[in-house]
Amino acid sequence: MLLVGEIRSPSSLRADREVKPLSCARAGIPLYLLVDRFTQPMTVSLMSEPGEQGYRKVETVHAGPGGGKLLVPEPFGITIDASTLPESRPAEPKS
Protein backbone atom coordinates (compact mmCIF):
# COMPACT_ATOMS: atom_id res chain seq x y z
CA MET A 1 0.00 0.00 0.00
CA LEU A 2 1.39 3.37 -1.03
CA LEU A 3 -1.23 5.84 0.18
CA VAL A 4 -4.09 5.92 2.64
CA GLY A 5 -6.81 8.52 2.15
CA GLU A 6 -9.17 9.63 4.89
CA ILE A 7 -12.10 12.03 4.98
CA ARG A 8 -12.65 13.06 8.58
CA SER A 9 -16.04 12.41 10.06
CA PRO A 10 -17.49 14.43 12.94
CA SER A 11 -17.06 11.67 15.49
CA SER A 12 -13.51 10.65 14.66
CA LEU A 13 -11.27 13.69 15.16
CA ARG A 14 -8.65 11.97 17.33
CA ALA A 15 -8.69 8.74 15.31
CA ASP A 16 -8.33 10.49 11.95
CA ARG A 17 -5.68 13.02 13.01
CA GLU A 18 -3.64 10.95 15.47
CA VAL A 19 -4.37 7.22 15.76
CA LYS A 20 -4.74 6.26 12.10
CA PRO A 21 -1.79 8.30 10.80
CA LEU A 22 0.47 6.88 13.52
CA SER A 23 -0.61 3.32 12.70
CA CYS A 24 -0.03 3.89 8.98
CA ALA A 25 3.38 5.48 9.56
CA ARG A 26 4.47 2.58 11.76
CA ALA A 27 3.28 0.17 9.04
CA GLY A 28 5.57 1.97 6.58
CA ILE A 29 2.83 3.40 4.36
CA PRO A 30 4.61 6.26 2.56
CA LEU A 31 1.69 8.71 2.30
CA TYR A 32 -1.41 9.60 4.31
CA LEU A 33 -3.92 12.07 2.85
CA LEU A 34 -6.45 13.68 5.19
CA VAL A 35 -9.38 15.82 4.07
CA ASP A 36 -10.82 17.66 7.06
CA ARG A 37 -14.32 18.91 6.23
CA PHE A 38 -14.82 20.27 9.72
CA THR A 39 -12.17 22.97 9.80
CA GLN A 40 -13.03 26.45 8.54
CA PRO A 41 -11.97 26.64 5.80
CA MET A 42 -11.75 22.96 4.93
CA THR A 43 -8.17 21.64 4.80
CA VAL A 44 -6.29 18.94 2.93
CA SER A 45 -3.14 17.49 4.50
CA LEU A 46 -0.51 15.20 3.02
CA MET A 47 1.69 13.37 5.50
CA SER A 48 4.93 11.72 4.38
CA GLU A 49 8.26 10.38 5.64
CA PRO A 50 6.84 7.66 7.94
CA GLY A 51 8.63 6.48 11.05
CA GLU A 52 7.96 4.89 14.43
CA GLN A 53 6.91 8.26 15.89
CA GLY A 54 4.55 9.07 13.02
CA TYR A 55 4.93 11.07 9.84
CA ARG A 56 7.83 13.52 9.93
CA LYS A 57 6.50 15.80 7.20
CA VAL A 58 2.99 17.31 7.05
CA GLU A 59 1.85 19.73 4.37
CA THR A 60 -1.57 21.34 4.82
CA VAL A 61 -3.45 23.63 2.44
CA HIS A 62 -6.81 25.35 2.66
CA ALA A 63 -9.63 24.53 0.28
CA GLY A 64 -11.71 26.99 -1.69
CA PRO A 65 -10.80 30.15 -3.58
CA GLY A 66 -7.18 31.03 -2.91
CA GLY A 67 -6.53 27.54 -1.57
CA GLY A 68 -3.24 25.79 -2.08
CA LYS A 69 -1.88 22.87 -4.03
CA LEU A 70 -0.32 19.65 -2.78
CA LEU A 71 2.13 17.66 -4.86
CA VAL A 72 1.61 13.93 -4.36
CA PRO A 73 4.99 12.41 -5.21
CA GLU A 74 5.78 9.47 -7.49
CA PRO A 75 4.52 6.93 -8.26
CA PHE A 76 1.41 9.13 -8.34
CA GLY A 77 3.01 12.33 -9.61
CA ILE A 78 -0.16 14.40 -9.34
CA THR A 79 -1.06 17.77 -7.90
CA ILE A 80 -4.17 18.22 -5.78
CA ASP A 81 -5.54 21.70 -6.36
CA ALA A 82 -7.51 22.42 -3.19
CA SER A 83 -8.73 25.74 -4.61
CA THR A 84 -11.21 23.73 -6.69
CA LEU A 85 -12.76 22.18 -3.56
CA PRO A 86 -15.50 23.85 -1.53
CA GLU A 87 -14.33 26.04 1.36
CA SER A 88 -16.54 24.24 3.83
CA ARG A 89 -18.60 21.13 4.11
CA PRO A 90 -22.12 21.14 2.73
CA ALA A 91 -24.95 21.55 5.21
CA GLU A 92 -26.19 18.33 6.73
CA PRO A 93 -29.53 17.22 5.27
CA LYS A 94 -32.48 17.79 7.55
CA SER A 95 -34.40 14.70 8.62
Side-chain angles (χ1 to χ4, degrees):
M1 188 173 306
L2 299 173
L3 181 143
V4 169
E6 184 77 40
I7 298 175
R8 188 173 87 77
S9 65
S11 62
S12 63
L13 174 64
R14 183 172 178 275
D16 293 341
R17 286 195 180 163
E18 298 173 25
V19 177
K20 292 177 186 177
L22 179 59
S23 295
C24 289
R26 287 180 174 167
I29 297 170
L31 301 167
Y32 187 91
L33 183 71
L34 176 64
V35 177
D36 192 336
R37 304 179 317 133
F38 298 95
T39 57
Q40 293 297 324
M42 186 171 78
T43 58
V44 182
S45 299
L46 180 66
M47 302 174 201
S48 59
E49 300 179 13
E52 282 301 309
Q53 302 301 314
Y55 288 99
R56 290 183 286 277
K57 184 176 179 184
V58 179
E59 296 176 77
T60 300
V61 296
H62 291 99
K69 295 181 180 182
L70 288 173
L71 174 62
V72 182
E74 295 297 334
F76 302 99
I78 62 169
T79 299
I80 297 172
D81 184 354
S83 70
T84 64
L85 300 172
E87 292 181 61
S88 61
R89 65 187 177 94
E92 296 293 325
K94 295 183 180 183
S95 349

